[in-house]
Amino acid sequence: MALFEQMRANVGKLLRGIDRYNPENLATLERYVETQAKENAYDLEANLAVLKLYQFNPAFFQTTVTAQILLKALTNLPHTDFTLCKCMIDQAHQALDENMELLDGITGFEDSVRKFICHVVGITYQHIDRWLLAEMLGDLSEAQLKVWMSKYGWTEPEPGRIFICNQEESIKPKNIVEKIDFDSVSTIMASSL
């Protein structure tokens, strides 16, 4: 992680001002993406700068680096980073389909996606079939599935059926209170007269 932090400071300087879109900085930014993948770190701003440079300079486009950026963006779900990155490129889906081995180079990728899946399952289901949960999490073995069930406090009260939670007990209402003072609207009211 020390290498990432050192590179982050250098890249931060590159991303200020007009140098952000200087194609001569692309090699440094691409190395930074690889460092993010190896050290389980993430920098959306730098990754978007790489994709923007690829837009401006299509001859420099690197499928591997682009796929790494997309995969790292997926590890940040439920945030919209993946959508931001995907909107900047046309070849994204094709690049991942042709190079599935790139997943191996992204430390923590599968666990990050599984965490997101567990989050969605937790807010969506009260009960789920064991086979379906195992499939959603990537066809996990029995032992692996038990680890994820334990991590989220899910139980199996009857064989083949997993209890996630009672959704009625977990509803959290929010009271939204808006406070508008008279001074903030008085100018609007005065101008409408």
Side-chain angles (χ1 to χ4, degrees):
M1 200 59 127
L3 177 62
F4 171 75
E5 292 302 328
Q6 182 183 7
M7 288 188 81
R8 179 180 217 139
N10 293 337
V11 167
K13 292 174 189 170
L14 289 177
L15 296 179
R16 291 191 189 97
I18 195 79
D19 270 345
R20 174 185 203 96
Y21 302 116
N22 183 345
E24 292 174 7
N25 294 330
L26 198 51
T28 302
L29 292 170
E30 289 170 340
R31 280 194 308 276
Y32 185 53
V33 170
E34 290 174 17
T35 302
Q36 291 176 59
K38 289 177 184 165
E39 296 194 18
N40 198 18
Y42 184 62
D43 187 338
L44 175 63
E45 185 180 355
N47 296 347
L48 290 173
V50 171
L51 296 177
K52 184 59 83 174
L53 280 165
Y54 287 160
Q55 278 185 330
F56 292 152
N57 307 281
F60 294 126
F61 181 83
Q62 296 289 325
T63 302
T64 303
V65 174
T66 303
Q68 286 176 325
I69 290 171
L70 291 172
L71 293 170
K72 288 302 293 181
L74 281 174
T75 65
N76 206 32
L77 287 170
H79 299 285
T80 60
D81 298 7
F82 181 78
T83 305
L84 283 170
C85 293
K86 192 169 180 283
C87 286
M88 296 183 72
I89 55 174
D90 297 330
Q91 305 96 335
H93 193 66
Q94 180 185 358
L96 286 174
D97 283 347
E98 293 173 0
N99 299 295
M100 291 304 287
E101 70 277 357
L102 290 172
L103 292 177
D104 298 334
I106 307 292
T107 305
F109 175 77
E110 289 181 353
D111 282 346
S112 294
V113 172
R114 284 188 181 117
K115 284 178 192 173
F116 176 69
I117 292 168
C118 287
H119 166 75
V120 172
V121 166
I123 62 174
T124 307
Y125 290 89
Q126 291 187 45
H127 291 88
I128 189 170
D129 291 332
R130 182 182 191 85
W131 68 267
L132 179 58
L133 181 62
E135 184 179 295
M136 288 175 151
L137 293 174
D139 292 322
L140 296 180
S141 68
E142 276 298 307
Q144 291 171 316
L145 183 60
K146 285 182 181 181
V147 168
W148 284 95
M149 287 172 55
S150 172
K151 186 182 279 192
Y152 286 88
W154 299 338
T155 59
E156 190 171 9
E158 58 185 87
R161 193 97 168 118
I162 297 173
F163 176 73
I164 304 298
C165 74
N166 186 342
Q167 296 293 348
E168 287 131 15
E169 293 174 3
S170 64
I171 295 173
K172 297 175 183 109
K174 267 191 182 174
N175 291 331
I176 300 172
V177 179
E178 292 187 39
K179 295 181 182 179
I180 303 173
D181 60 359
F182 184 73
D183 292 336
S184 64
V185 295
S186 62
T187 54
I188 296 171
M189 292 172 62
S191 65
S192 65
L193 295 176

